[in-house]
Amino acid sequence: MFGVPQGSVLGPLLFLLYTADLEIIAQQFGVEAHLYADDSQMYVFNSPHAMKSADERLLRCLDEIARWMQSNRLSLNPSKTQFMRCATTRRLTQLSSSPITFCGQQIWPVTSVRNLGVTVDSSLSFCTHVNRVVSSCFYQLRRIKSSLKALPLETAKTLVNCFVVSRLDYCNSLLAGVPQTTLDRLQRVMNTAARMLCGVGRREHVSDLLSNCLHWLRVPQRVQFKLCLLMYKSLHGMAPTYLAELCQSVGMVDARGRLRSAERGDLITPRSATKFGDRAFAISGPQAWNGLPTNVRNSMTLSTFKAALKTHLFI
């Protein structure tokens, strides 16, 4: 309704209609496509021994997209194109470091890319993203601290929520299942912010400050809050279809329709062969939802669900 994609002379709806063929081209080559405004991303999945064939399939798809863009008076800039090979930490050494040739230019693989404000690394550990978030949060805290004495408590709290806590909460559902040491780094940011707002020393315990004074959830609970909120929206038609399709009730399976889990309204949790796979939203989301009490899940409105969920996570 407002604005247009960067560099486009078309409105948002017309631009999406104009570039809809990109997804069709990707499907023809068996390539997954994620399109957001004028930012297009292509993905291929393969086992380590099929890496060469996957690269060739992706390059054929990109070459076809380049020809399509040229015929439709669109410009493709290969110098702004990045590609990254991802794997679990155990299999990172098996990844090739060779470049790909695209539109006459060699593009070398990178170890991290920025995707809609989130830095994704090749091992999907999100350590690089956490490092950047922690660095930017402490920078904002130092700026706020310089004028803290001249601000009322509520104003200072609002500033910290806007410039610090919002950065910690942005896309934090991606951190489901990451090691506790990674979450501890984000928790230290919240602890520092709480001590600064309440005017206590660096060695003071912050548990009471977070819960009683500031009413802030700890970082692990904030991640769980975001997951459960996405699940509620997915189950009540307030989320995109591709998320709602991942939420299937146990009662929908004939063989499990009489189980107590079906009566409680539990969701099917797919099985994964690795702990790495358990971090996917299709698994971590239903697990977080199934762990909630029935009275919280049965909230009638989104606002009452948020209030009940926050109260539950504080206990």
Side-chain angles (χ1 to χ4, degrees), residues 1 14 39 75 79 84 88 94 108 118 127 154 208 212 223 226 258 260 276 299 302 312:
M1 296 176 63
L14 290 177
D39 186 10
S75 176
S79 63
M84 179 176 65
T88 59
Q94 301 179 15
W108 291 87
V118 177
C127 288
E154 290 300 319
D208 292 338
N212 299 331
V223 174
K226 182 64 71 64
R258 297 183 179 181
R260 282 179 291 179
F276 183 81
S299 300
L302 182 62
H312 169 70

Side-chain angles (χ1 to χ4, degrees), residues 12-266:
L13 182 59
L14 290 177
F15 181 84
L16 294 177
L17 293 174
Y18 193 72
T19 59
D21 290 340
L22 293 178
E23 186 174 8
I24 299 176
I25 295 174
Q27 292 175 354
Q28 292 175 351
F29 291 89
V31 175
E32 298 285 341
H34 286 175
L35 310 177
Y36 185 83
D38 61 344
D39 186 10
S40 304
Q41 304 166 20
M42 305 295 164
Y43 300 87
V44 288
F45 306 91
N46 60 278
S47 55
H49 65 273
M51 187 182 304
K52 184 176 180 180
S53 62
D55 285 353
E56 293 175 352
R57 188 169 79 252
L58 178 62
L59 286 175
R60 289 198 304 269
C61 176
L62 294 178
D63 290 338
E64 181 63 26
I65 288 176
R67 286 191 291 268
W68 178 88
M69 296 186 73
Q70 185 177 7
S71 65
N72 285 273
R73 301 179 182 181
L74 293 173
S75 176
L76 187 139
N77 190 351
S79 63
K80 290 186 176 181
T81 301
Q82 293 180 305
F83 92 99
M84 179 176 65
R85 295 187 175 101
C86 300
T88 59
T89 305
R90 185 171 62 89
R91 293 189 177 273
L92 276 178
T93 56
Q94 301 179 15
L95 295 180
S96 172
S97 58
S98 58
I100 61 175
T101 303
F102 177 48
C103 292
Q105 293 191 18
Q106 278 194 337
I107 304 176
W108 291 87
V110 296
T111 57
S112 63
V113 293
R114 191 173 178 85
N115 183 11
L116 301 180
V118 177
T119 303
V120 183
D121 56 276
S122 55
S123 63
L124 299 180
S125 64
F126 291 101
C127 288
T128 306
H129 173 69
V130 170
N131 291 339
R132 293 188 177 184
V133 170
V134 170
S135 177
S136 63
C137 286
F138 276 122
Y139 170 73
Q140 296 295 336
L141 285 175
R142 287 193 295 269
R143 296 184 63 187
I144 296 174
K145 186 178 181 180
S146 61
S147 56
L148 188 64
K149 294 182 179 180
L151 298 174
L153 176 60
E154 290 300 319
T155 304
K157 183 179 176 180
T158 301
L159 285 175
V160 171
N161 278 319
C162 291
F163 292 101
V164 178
V165 178
S166 62
R167 297 171 188 263
L168 298 176
D169 289 342
Y170 180 71
C171 291
N172 62 349
S173 59
L174 295 171
L175 302 178
V178 300
Q180 184 62 37
T181 53
T182 303
L183 297 180
D184 287 342
R185 299 197 60 206
L186 299 176
Q187 186 61 51
R188 280 195 288 272
V189 175
M190 293 200 70
N191 295 347
T192 302
R195 293 188 178 101
M196 183 187 74
L197 288 175
C198 298
V200 299
R202 58 184 299 181
R203 298 186 181 277
E204 190 76 19
H205 291 290
V206 296
S207 297
D208 292 338
L209 300 179
L210 292 173
S211 59
N212 299 331
C213 181
L214 300 173
H215 305 289
W216 286 351
L217 292 170
R218 301 181 70 86
V219 171
Q221 283 72 39
R222 300 183 86 88
V223 174
Q224 188 177 3
F225 182 92
K226 182 64 71 64
L227 277 176
C228 295
L229 183 60
L230 286 174
M231 292 299 301
Y232 183 89
K233 291 182 177 180
S234 300
L235 293 171
H236 292 80
M238 293 181 283
T241 306
Y242 64 86
L243 289 180
E245 291 175 348
L246 300 176
C247 307
Q248 297 184 0
S249 174
V250 174
M252 297 175 61
V253 181
D254 294 337
R256 304 172 64 180
R258 297 183 179 181
L259 298 178
R260 282 179 291 179
S261 57
E263 296 178 359
R264 291 195 303 268
D266 287 356

Side-chain angles (χ1 to χ4, degrees), residues 266-315:
D266 287 356
L267 302 178
I268 297 175
T269 303
R271 293 184 178 181
S272 174
T274 62
K275 291 184 178 180
F276 183 81
D278 291 341
R279 293 169 51 189
F281 176 76
I283 299 178
S284 60
Q287 284 180 343
W289 182 261
N290 293 342
L292 294 179
T294 307
N295 63 310
V296 177
R297 285 192 251 173
N298 293 336
S299 300
M300 299 301 295
T301 63
L302 182 62
S303 58
T304 56
F305 174 77
K306 288 182 179 180
L309 177 59
K310 189 172 183 179
T311 302
H312 169 70
L313 294 177
F314 264 126
I315 299 177

